[in-house]
Amino acid sequence: MHIEVGQAAQSEILQRFGREGYALKLVYDSEGCGCAVSGVPQIWVVDPMEPSEESSAAACSPISILYEKRQEVFFEDNLRLDYNTEKKVFQLKSNQQIYNASMTLLDKRNTTSSVSRTQ
């Protein structure tokens, strides 16, 4: 999977979270949606982690985004993460569709000093 992170998205992520102390994770969040195939694509801010047997790192730079291999089926191979500066929301899309046009970054870090930085 390849995720192109737009310049506005890069700037907003770095402004909010800096360069270290977190990882970004693409998830297909199905909690509360009724079943596993009814979900909402989200980007979570999580504690730093390395790819594992269950997860992979998407091909992108300079910001790394992880995803769970089992959820790869819900996404196309090439995605873009953009930021709408007027609406102050992130947008996940491909050439074929918009996955989420009004996305905030959900801070899911477990550190006790972490405060929610989503808008």
Side-chain angles (χ1 to χ4, degrees):
M1 180 183 301
H2 179 267
I3 302 175
E4 177 187 334
V5 181
Q7 185 62 44
Q10 289 178 36
S11 296
E12 186 65 21
I13 291 166
L14 293 174
Q15 180 183 339
R16 288 188 196 188
F17 302 104
R19 296 193 178 275
E20 297 179 3
Y22 65 94
L24 296 179
K25 185 175 181 181
L26 172 63
V27 296
Y28 190 76
D29 188 6
S30 61
E31 189 167 326
C33 292
C35 74
V37 294
S38 295
V40 179
Q42 293 287 332
I43 302 281
W44 290 352
V45 179
V46 296
D47 290 318
M49 59 174 48
E50 295 294 324
S52 66
E53 277 186 29
E54 295 85 30
S55 68
S56 288
C60 59
S61 67
I63 296 170
S64 177
I65 300 176
L66 303 171
Y67 64 94
E68 291 183 29
K69 290 178 185 176
R70 65 184 172 86
Q71 294 183 342
E72 189 172 22
V73 68
F74 297 113
F75 301 101
E76 294 173 57
D77 289 337
N78 294 298
L79 302 171
R80 281 188 316 279
L81 179 64
D82 290 325
Y83 183 73
N84 184 317
T85 55
E86 292 176 16
K87 295 181 180 179
K88 300 189 184 305
V89 294
F90 289 88
Q91 299 172 331
L92 183 67
K93 51 191 164 182
S94 71
N95 288 338
Q96 287 72 37
Q97 66 181 310
I98 297 173
Y99 286 90
N100 192 335
S102 184
M103 184 170 48
T104 59
L105 296 185
L106 300 176
D107 196 339
K108 298 276 190 168
R109 292 179 285 182
N110 291 324
T111 57
T112 55
S113 62
S114 171
V115 293
S116 177
R117 296 181 181 107
T118 59
Q119 293 184 3

Short mmCIF file of all heavy atoms in Angstrom, two decimals, residues 1-64:
data_model
loop_
_atom_site.label_atom_id
_atom_site.label_comp_id
_atom_site.label_asym_id
_atom_site.label_seq_id
_atom_site.Cartn_x
_atom_site.Cartn_y
_atom_site.Cartn_z
N MET A 1 0.85 -1.18 0.00
CA MET A 1 0.00 0.00 0.00
C MET A 1 0.90 1.24 0.00
O MET A 1 1.90 1.28 0.70
CB MET A 1 -0.90 0.00 1.23
CG MET A 1 -1.83 1.19 1.31
SD MET A 1 -2.87 1.28 2.79
CE MET A 1 -3.78 -0.24 2.71
N HIS A 2 0.50 2.22 -0.78
CA HIS A 2 1.22 3.48 -0.84
C HIS A 2 0.27 4.60 -0.45
O HIS A 2 -0.85 4.68 -0.96
CB HIS A 2 1.76 3.73 -2.26
CG HIS A 2 2.48 5.01 -2.39
ND1 HIS A 2 1.86 6.17 -2.80
CD2 HIS A 2 3.76 5.35 -2.15
CE1 HIS A 2 2.73 7.15 -2.80
NE2 HIS A 2 3.90 6.67 -2.42
N ILE A 3 0.71 5.46 0.46
CA ILE A 3 -0.10 6.61 0.87
C ILE A 3 0.72 7.87 0.64
O ILE A 3 1.79 8.06 1.22
CB ILE A 3 -0.51 6.52 2.36
CG1 ILE A 3 -1.30 5.25 2.61
CG2 ILE A 3 -1.33 7.76 2.75
CD1 ILE A 3 -1.64 5.00 4.07
N GLU A 4 0.21 8.73 -0.23
CA GLU A 4 0.83 10.02 -0.49
C GLU A 4 0.27 11.00 0.53
O GLU A 4 -0.94 11.20 0.62
CB GLU A 4 0.49 10.48 -1.90
CG GLU A 4 1.03 11.84 -2.25
CD GLU A 4 0.53 12.32 -3.60
OE1 GLU A 4 0.21 11.48 -4.46
OE2 GLU A 4 0.46 13.55 -3.78
N VAL A 5 1.16 11.61 1.29
CA VAL A 5 0.75 12.59 2.30
C VAL A 5 0.98 13.97 1.71
O VAL A 5 2.12 14.35 1.43
CB VAL A 5 1.52 12.42 3.62
CG1 VAL A 5 1.06 13.42 4.66
CG2 VAL A 5 1.36 10.98 4.15
N GLY A 6 -0.11 14.71 1.48
CA GLY A 6 -0.01 16.03 0.88
C GLY A 6 0.73 17.01 1.78
O GLY A 6 0.83 16.83 2.99
N GLN A 7 1.23 18.07 1.16
CA GLN A 7 2.01 19.08 1.90
C GLN A 7 1.21 19.70 3.04
O GLN A 7 1.73 19.88 4.14
CB GLN A 7 2.52 20.17 0.95
CG GLN A 7 3.44 21.17 1.62
CD GLN A 7 4.70 20.53 2.17
OE1 GLN A 7 5.32 19.71 1.50
NE2 GLN A 7 5.08 20.88 3.38
N ALA A 8 -0.05 20.04 2.81
CA ALA A 8 -0.87 20.64 3.87
C ALA A 8 -1.08 19.64 5.01
O ALA A 8 -1.05 20.02 6.18
CB ALA A 8 -2.22 21.10 3.31
N ALA A 9 -1.28 18.35 4.69
CA ALA A 9 -1.45 17.32 5.73
C ALA A 9 -0.16 17.15 6.51
O ALA A 9 -0.18 17.06 7.75
CB ALA A 9 -1.89 16.01 5.10
N GLN A 10 0.98 17.12 5.82
CA GLN A 10 2.27 17.00 6.51
C GLN A 10 2.47 18.15 7.49
O GLN A 10 2.83 17.94 8.65
CB GLN A 10 3.42 17.03 5.50
CG GLN A 10 3.56 15.81 4.66
CD GLN A 10 4.69 15.97 3.66
OE1 GLN A 10 5.72 16.57 3.95
NE2 GLN A 10 4.50 15.43 2.46
N SER A 11 2.22 19.36 7.03
CA SER A 11 2.41 20.54 7.87
C SER A 11 1.51 20.49 9.10
O SER A 11 1.96 20.79 10.22
CB SER A 11 2.12 21.81 7.08
OG SER A 11 3.05 21.96 6.04
N GLU A 12 0.26 20.11 8.92
CA GLU A 12 -0.68 20.07 10.04
C GLU A 12 -0.29 18.99 11.05
O GLU A 12 -0.34 19.21 12.26
CB GLU A 12 -2.10 19.84 9.53
CG GLU A 12 -3.16 19.94 10.60
CD GLU A 12 -3.30 21.33 11.22
OE1 GLU A 12 -2.89 22.33 10.60
OE2 GLU A 12 -3.85 21.41 12.34
N ILE A 13 0.10 17.84 10.57
CA ILE A 13 0.52 16.75 11.47
C ILE A 13 1.74 17.16 12.26
O ILE A 13 1.78 16.99 13.49
CB ILE A 13 0.78 15.45 10.66
CG1 ILE A 13 -0.54 14.91 10.11
CG2 ILE A 13 1.49 14.41 11.53
CD1 ILE A 13 -0.37 13.84 9.04
N LEU A 14 2.74 17.70 11.59
CA LEU A 14 3.96 18.10 12.29
C LEU A 14 3.71 19.25 13.26
O LEU A 14 4.29 19.30 14.34
CB LEU A 14 5.05 18.48 11.28
CG LEU A 14 5.57 17.31 10.44
CD1 LEU A 14 6.54 17.81 9.37
CD2 LEU A 14 6.20 16.25 11.31
N GLN A 15 2.82 20.16 12.91
CA GLN A 15 2.48 21.26 13.81
C GLN A 15 1.79 20.74 15.07
O GLN A 15 2.07 21.19 16.17
CB GLN A 15 1.58 22.27 13.10
CG GLN A 15 1.19 23.44 13.98
CD GLN A 15 0.23 24.39 13.25
OE1 GLN A 15 0.15 24.42 12.04
NE2 GLN A 15 -0.50 25.17 14.03
N ARG A 16 0.88 19.81 14.92
CA ARG A 16 0.13 19.28 16.06
C ARG A 16 0.93 18.33 16.94
O ARG A 16 0.81 18.36 18.16
CB ARG A 16 -1.10 18.51 15.59
CG ARG A 16 -2.20 19.35 15.05
CD ARG A 16 -3.41 18.49 14.80
NE ARG A 16 -4.37 19.15 13.94
CZ ARG A 16 -5.57 18.67 13.70
NH1 ARG A 16 -5.95 17.53 14.22
NH2 ARG A 16 -6.39 19.32 12.91
N PHE A 17 1.74 17.47 16.30
CA PHE A 17 2.35 16.37 17.05
C PHE A 17 3.86 16.37 17.05
O PHE A 17 4.47 15.54 17.72
CB PHE A 17 1.83 15.03 16.51
CG PHE A 17 0.33 14.91 16.59
CD1 PHE A 17 -0.45 15.07 15.45
CD2 PHE A 17 -0.31 14.67 17.79
CE1 PHE A 17 -1.83 14.97 15.52
CE2 PHE A 17 -1.69 14.57 17.87
CZ PHE A 17 -2.45 14.73 16.73
N GLY A 18 4.49 17.23 16.28
CA GLY A 18 5.95 17.23 16.20
C GLY A 18 6.45 16.10 15.33
O GLY A 18 5.72 15.55 14.51
N ARG A 19 7.71 15.74 15.53
CA ARG A 19 8.33 14.71 14.69
C ARG A 19 8.50 13.38 15.40
O ARG A 19 8.74 12.37 14.75
CB ARG A 19 9.70 15.19 14.21
CG ARG A 19 9.62 16.39 13.30
CD ARG A 19 10.94 16.64 12.58
NE ARG A 19 10.84 17.77 11.69
CZ ARG A 19 10.38 17.70 10.45
NH1 ARG A 19 9.97 16.57 9.97
NH2 ARG A 19 10.33 18.79 9.69
N GLU A 20 8.36 13.34 16.72
CA GLU A 20 8.64 12.11 17.47
C GLU A 20 7.59 11.88 18.55
O GLU A 20 6.82 12.77 18.89
CB GLU A 20 10.02 12.20 18.12
CG GLU A 20 11.15 12.31 17.14
CD GLU A 20 12.50 12.42 17.81
OE1 GLU A 20 12.58 12.35 19.05
OE2 GLU A 20 13.49 12.57 17.08
N GLY A 21 7.59 10.64 19.08
CA GLY A 21 6.72 10.32 20.21
C GLY A 21 5.36 9.78 19.82
O GLY A 21 4.48 9.64 20.67
N TYR A 22 5.17 9.44 18.55
CA TYR A 22 3.89 8.92 18.10
C TYR A 22 4.08 8.16 16.79
O TYR A 22 5.11 8.25 16.14
CB TYR A 22 2.87 10.03 17.89
CG TYR A 22 3.22 10.98 16.77
CD1 TYR A 22 2.72 10.78 15.49
CD2 TYR A 22 4.09 12.05 16.96
CE1 TYR A 22 3.05 11.63 14.44
CE2 TYR A 22 4.42 12.90 15.93
CZ TYR A 22 3.90 12.69 14.68
OH TYR A 22 4.24 13.53 13.65
N ALA A 23 3.05 7.43 16.43
CA ALA A 23 2.97 6.81 15.11
C ALA A 23 1.57 7.08 14.57
O ALA A 23 0.64 7.31 15.36
CB ALA A 23 3.22 5.31 15.20
N LEU A 24 1.42 7.08 13.28
CA LEU A 24 0.11 7.21 12.66
C LEU A 24 -0.32 5.83 12.18
O LEU A 24 0.49 5.05 11.68
CB LEU A 24 0.15 8.17 11.47
CG LEU A 24 0.51 9.61 11.80
CD1 LEU A 24 0.54 10.44 10.51
CD2 LEU A 24 -0.46 10.22 12.78
N LYS A 25 -1.60 5.53 12.36
CA LYS A 25 -2.12 4.22 11.97
C LYS A 25 -3.43 4.39 11.21
O LYS A 25 -4.36 5.02 11.71
CB LYS A 25 -2.34 3.37 13.23
CG LYS A 25 -2.75 1.96 12.93
CD LYS A 25 -2.82 1.15 14.20
CE LYS A 25 -3.21 -0.29 13.91
NZ LYS A 25 -3.31 -1.07 15.15
N LEU A 26 -3.48 3.84 10.02
CA LEU A 26 -4.70 3.82 9.22
C LEU A 26 -5.54 2.64 9.70
O LEU A 26 -5.05 1.52 9.76
CB LEU A 26 -4.36 3.65 7.74
CG LEU A 26 -5.53 3.40 6.78
CD1 LEU A 26 -6.47 4.60 6.75
CD2 LEU A 26 -5.00 3.08 5.39
N VAL A 27 -6.79 2.91 10.08
CA VAL A 27 -7.66 1.85 10.56
C VAL A 27 -9.01 1.93 9.85
O VAL A 27 -9.43 2.99 9.40
CB VAL A 27 -7.90 1.91 12.09
CG1 VAL A 27 -6.60 1.69 12.85
CG2 VAL A 27 -8.52 3.21 12.49
N TYR A 28 -9.64 0.78 9.74
CA TYR A 28 -11.01 0.69 9.27
C TYR A 28 -11.83 0.42 10.53
O TYR A 28 -12.00 -0.72 10.96
CB TYR A 28 -11.16 -0.43 8.24
CG TYR A 28 -12.48 -0.42 7.54
CD1 TYR A 28 -12.75 0.52 6.55
CD2 TYR A 28 -13.47 -1.33 7.86
CE1 TYR A 28 -13.97 0.54 5.89
CE2 TYR A 28 -14.69 -1.32 7.20
CZ TYR A 28 -14.93 -0.38 6.22
OH TYR A 28 -16.14 -0.37 5.57
N ASP A 29 -12.28 1.49 11.18
CA ASP A 29 -12.92 1.42 12.49
C ASP A 29 -14.36 0.97 12.35
O ASP A 29 -15.20 1.70 11.84
CB ASP A 29 -12.84 2.79 13.16
CG ASP A 29 -13.30 2.80 14.60
OD1 ASP A 29 -13.58 1.71 15.14
OD2 ASP A 29 -13.36 3.88 15.19
N SER A 30 -14.64 -0.25 12.81
CA SER A 30 -15.99 -0.80 12.69
C SER A 30 -16.70 -0.87 14.04
O SER A 30 -17.82 -1.37 14.12
CB SER A 30 -15.93 -2.19 12.05
OG SER A 30 -15.17 -3.06 12.84
N GLU A 31 -16.08 -0.35 15.10
CA GLU A 31 -16.71 -0.38 16.41
C GLU A 31 -17.99 0.45 16.41
O GLU A 31 -18.00 1.62 16.02
CB GLU A 31 -15.77 0.13 17.49
CG GLU A 31 -16.32 -0.09 18.88
CD GLU A 31 -15.28 0.12 19.96
OE1 GLU A 31 -14.11 -0.19 19.71
OE2 GLU A 31 -15.66 0.59 21.03
N GLY A 32 -19.09 -0.17 16.79
CA GLY A 32 -20.38 0.51 16.84
C GLY A 32 -21.07 0.62 15.49
O GLY A 32 -22.12 1.25 15.38
N CYS A 33 -20.50 0.00 14.46
CA CYS A 33 -21.08 0.09 13.12
C CYS A 33 -21.94 -1.11 12.76
O CYS A 33 -22.49 -1.16 11.67
CB CYS A 33 -19.97 0.25 12.08
SG CYS A 33 -19.11 1.83 12.20
N GLY A 34 -22.04 -2.10 13.61
CA GLY A 34 -22.92 -3.23 13.35
C GLY A 34 -22.20 -4.50 12.92
O GLY A 34 -22.53 -5.56 13.37
N CYS A 35 -21.24 -4.37 12.00
CA CYS A 35 -20.48 -5.56 11.61
C CYS A 35 -19.12 -5.11 11.07
O CYS A 35 -18.89 -3.93 10.82
CB CYS A 35 -21.24 -6.39 10.59
SG CYS A 35 -21.29 -5.71 8.94
N ALA A 36 -18.24 -6.07 10.87
CA ALA A 36 -16.85 -5.77 10.50
C ALA A 36 -16.71 -5.13 9.13
O ALA A 36 -15.72 -4.49 8.85
CB ALA A 36 -16.01 -7.04 10.57
N VAL A 37 -17.69 -5.32 8.25
CA VAL A 37 -17.57 -4.73 6.92
C VAL A 37 -18.25 -3.36 6.81
O VAL A 37 -18.21 -2.74 5.77
CB VAL A 37 -18.10 -5.67 5.81
CG1 VAL A 37 -17.25 -6.91 5.70
CG2 VAL A 37 -19.55 -6.01 6.02
N SER A 38 -18.86 -2.91 7.88
CA SER A 38 -19.44 -1.57 7.92
C SER A 38 -18.57 -0.73 8.85
O SER A 38 -18.72 -0.77 10.06
CB SER A 38 -20.88 -1.61 8.46
OG SER A 38 -21.71 -2.31 7.58
N GLY A 39 -17.66 0.02 8.29
CA GLY A 39 -16.74 0.78 9.11
C GLY A 39 -16.44 2.13 8.52
O GLY A 39 -16.94 2.50 7.45
N VAL A 40 -15.60 2.87 9.22
CA VAL A 40 -15.21 4.22 8.82
C VAL A 40 -13.69 4.29 8.82
O VAL A 40 -13.06 4.02 9.83
CB VAL A 40 -15.77 5.27 9.81
CG1 VAL A 40 -15.35 6.66 9.42
CG2 VAL A 40 -17.28 5.16 9.91
N PRO A 41 -13.09 4.65 7.69
CA PRO A 41 -11.64 4.82 7.67
C PRO A 41 -11.23 5.99 8.57
O PRO A 41 -11.84 7.07 8.52
CB PRO A 41 -11.33 5.14 6.20
CG PRO A 41 -12.49 4.59 5.45
CD PRO A 41 -13.68 4.78 6.36
N GLN A 42 -10.22 5.77 9.39
CA GLN A 42 -9.72 6.78 10.31
C GLN A 42 -8.19 6.73 10.34
O GLN A 42 -7.60 5.70 10.02
CB GLN A 42 -10.22 6.52 11.73
CG GLN A 42 -11.70 6.68 11.94
CD GLN A 42 -12.11 8.15 11.94
OE1 GLN A 42 -11.33 9.03 12.28
NE2 GLN A 42 -13.33 8.40 11.53
N ILE A 43 -7.59 7.81 10.75
CA ILE A 43 -6.16 7.83 11.06
C ILE A 43 -6.06 8.08 12.56
O ILE A 43 -6.60 9.06 13.07
CB ILE A 43 -5.40 8.94 10.31
CG1 ILE A 43 -5.55 8.81 8.79
CG2 ILE A 43 -3.94 8.95 10.72
CD1 ILE A 43 -4.68 7.76 8.14
N TRP A 44 -5.39 7.16 13.25
CA TRP A 44 -5.20 7.30 14.69
C TRP A 44 -3.76 7.69 14.97
O TRP A 44 -2.83 7.27 14.28
CB TRP A 44 -5.47 5.98 15.40
CG TRP A 44 -6.91 5.55 15.44
CD1 TRP A 44 -8.01 6.25 15.04
CD2 TRP A 44 -7.39 4.29 15.90
NE1 TRP A 44 -9.14 5.51 15.24
CE2 TRP A 44 -8.80 4.30 15.76
CE3 TRP A 44 -6.78 3.16 16.41
CZ2 TRP A 44 -9.60 3.23 16.13
CZ3 TRP A 44 -7.57 2.08 16.78
CH2 TRP A 44 -8.96 2.12 16.64
N VAL A 45 -3.58 8.48 16.00
CA VAL A 45 -2.27 8.79 16.53
C VAL A 45 -2.07 7.80 17.68
O VAL A 45 -2.86 7.78 18.63
CB VAL A 45 -2.19 10.25 17.03
CG1 VAL A 45 -0.81 10.54 17.60
CG2 VAL A 45 -2.53 11.21 15.91
N VAL A 46 -1.06 6.95 17.57
CA VAL A 46 -0.83 5.91 18.57
C VAL A 46 0.59 6.01 19.11
O VAL A 46 1.42 6.74 18.57
CB VAL A 46 -1.08 4.50 17.96
CG1 VAL A 46 -2.54 4.34 17.54
CG2 VAL A 46 -0.16 4.22 16.79
N ASP A 47 0.84 5.26 20.17
CA ASP A 47 2.20 5.20 20.70
C ASP A 47 3.13 4.65 19.63
O ASP A 47 2.71 3.84 18.80
CB ASP A 47 2.24 4.32 21.95
CG ASP A 47 1.54 4.97 23.13
OD1 ASP A 47 1.73 6.18 23.34
OD2 ASP A 47 0.80 4.27 23.84
N PRO A 48 4.41 5.06 19.63
CA PRO A 48 5.34 4.57 18.62
C PRO A 48 5.38 3.05 18.59
O PRO A 48 5.36 2.40 19.64
CB PRO A 48 6.69 5.14 19.06
CG PRO A 48 6.36 6.29 19.94
CD PRO A 48 5.05 5.96 20.59
N MET A 49 5.39 2.50 17.39
CA MET A 49 5.42 1.05 17.25
C MET A 49 6.12 0.68 15.96
O MET A 49 6.22 1.49 15.05
CB MET A 49 4.01 0.46 17.26
CG MET A 49 3.14 1.00 16.14
SD MET A 49 1.49 0.29 15.94
CE MET A 49 0.84 0.29 17.55
N GLU A 50 6.59 -0.54 15.91
CA GLU A 50 7.22 -1.07 14.71
C GLU A 50 6.22 -1.99 14.01
O GLU A 50 5.36 -2.57 14.66
CB GLU A 50 8.47 -1.86 15.09
CG GLU A 50 9.57 -1.02 15.71
CD GLU A 50 10.15 0.00 14.73
OE1 GLU A 50 10.26 -0.32 13.53
OE2 GLU A 50 10.47 1.10 15.18
N PRO A 51 6.33 -2.13 12.71
CA PRO A 51 5.48 -3.11 12.02
C PRO A 51 5.69 -4.50 12.63
O PRO A 51 6.78 -4.83 13.08
CB PRO A 51 5.98 -3.06 10.57
CG PRO A 51 6.60 -1.71 10.44
CD PRO A 51 7.18 -1.39 11.79
N SER A 52 4.65 -5.31 12.64
CA SER A 52 4.71 -6.63 13.24
C SER A 52 4.10 -7.64 12.27
O SER A 52 3.82 -7.32 11.12
CB SER A 52 3.94 -6.64 14.56
OG SER A 52 2.56 -6.43 14.31
N GLU A 53 3.85 -8.86 12.75
CA GLU A 53 3.18 -9.86 11.92
C GLU A 53 1.80 -9.40 11.50
O GLU A 53 1.32 -9.71 10.43
CB GLU A 53 3.05 -11.19 12.67
CG GLU A 53 4.28 -12.04 12.61
CD GLU A 53 4.05 -13.40 13.24
OE1 GLU A 53 2.92 -13.90 13.24
OE2 GLU A 53 5.03 -13.96 13.74
N GLU A 54 1.12 -8.65 12.37
CA GLU A 54 -0.25 -8.20 12.10
C GLU A 54 -0.32 -6.87 11.37
O GLU A 54 -1.35 -6.50 10.85
CB GLU A 54 -1.04 -8.07 13.42
CG GLU A 54 -1.26 -9.37 14.16
CD GLU A 54 -0.09 -9.73 15.07
OE1 GLU A 54 0.60 -8.82 15.56
OE2 GLU A 54 0.15 -10.92 15.26
N SER A 55 0.78 -6.11 11.37
CA SER A 55 0.73 -4.78 10.77
C SER A 55 1.86 -4.58 9.77
O SER A 55 2.84 -5.31 9.78
CB SER A 55 0.80 -3.71 11.87
OG SER A 55 2.07 -3.72 12.48
N SER A 56 1.69 -3.59 8.93
CA SER A 56 2.69 -3.21 7.93
C SER A 56 2.80 -1.70 7.91
O SER A 56 1.90 -1.00 8.34
CB SER A 56 2.27 -3.69 6.54
OG SER A 56 2.38 -5.07 6.42
N ALA A 57 3.89 -1.23 7.35
CA ALA A 57 4.06 0.20 7.14
C ALA A 57 3.75 0.51 5.69
O ALA A 57 4.24 -0.17 4.79
CB ALA A 57 5.48 0.62 7.48
N ALA A 58 2.89 1.48 5.47
CA ALA A 58 2.59 1.91 4.11
C ALA A 58 3.82 2.60 3.53
O ALA A 58 4.61 3.20 4.26
CB ALA A 58 1.40 2.85 4.11
N ALA A 59 3.96 2.53 2.23
CA ALA A 59 5.04 3.23 1.56
C ALA A 59 4.67 4.69 1.47
O ALA A 59 3.79 5.08 0.70
CB ALA A 59 5.27 2.64 0.18
N CYS A 60 5.26 5.51 2.32
CA CYS A 60 5.02 6.95 2.28
C CYS A 60 6.15 7.63 3.03
O CYS A 60 6.86 7.02 3.82
CB CYS A 60 3.66 7.33 2.88
SG CYS A 60 3.39 6.86 4.57
N SER A 61 6.33 8.91 2.77
CA SER A 61 7.33 9.67 3.49
C SER A 61 6.96 11.14 3.38
O SER A 61 6.21 11.52 2.49
CB SER A 61 8.73 9.42 2.92
OG SER A 61 8.83 9.94 1.62
N PRO A 62 7.39 12.01 4.23
CA PRO A 62 8.31 11.74 5.32
C PRO A 62 7.61 11.20 6.57
O PRO A 62 8.25 10.89 7.56
CB PRO A 62 8.91 13.12 5.60
CG PRO A 62 7.80 14.06 5.29
CD PRO A 62 7.05 13.43 4.14
N ILE A 63 6.31 11.08 6.52
CA ILE A 63 5.54 10.63 7.68
C ILE A 63 5.16 9.17 7.45
O ILE A 63 4.58 8.84 6.42
CB ILE A 63 4.29 11.51 7.87
CG1 ILE A 63 4.72 12.94 8.19
CG2 ILE A 63 3.40 10.95 8.96
CD1 ILE A 63 3.60 13.95 8.18
N SER A 64 5.45 8.31 8.40
CA SER A 64 5.14 6.90 8.28
C SER A 64 3.72 6.62 8.78
O SER A 64 3.28 7.17 9.77
CB SER A 64 6.15 6.09 9.11
OG SER A 64 5.83 4.73 9.07
#
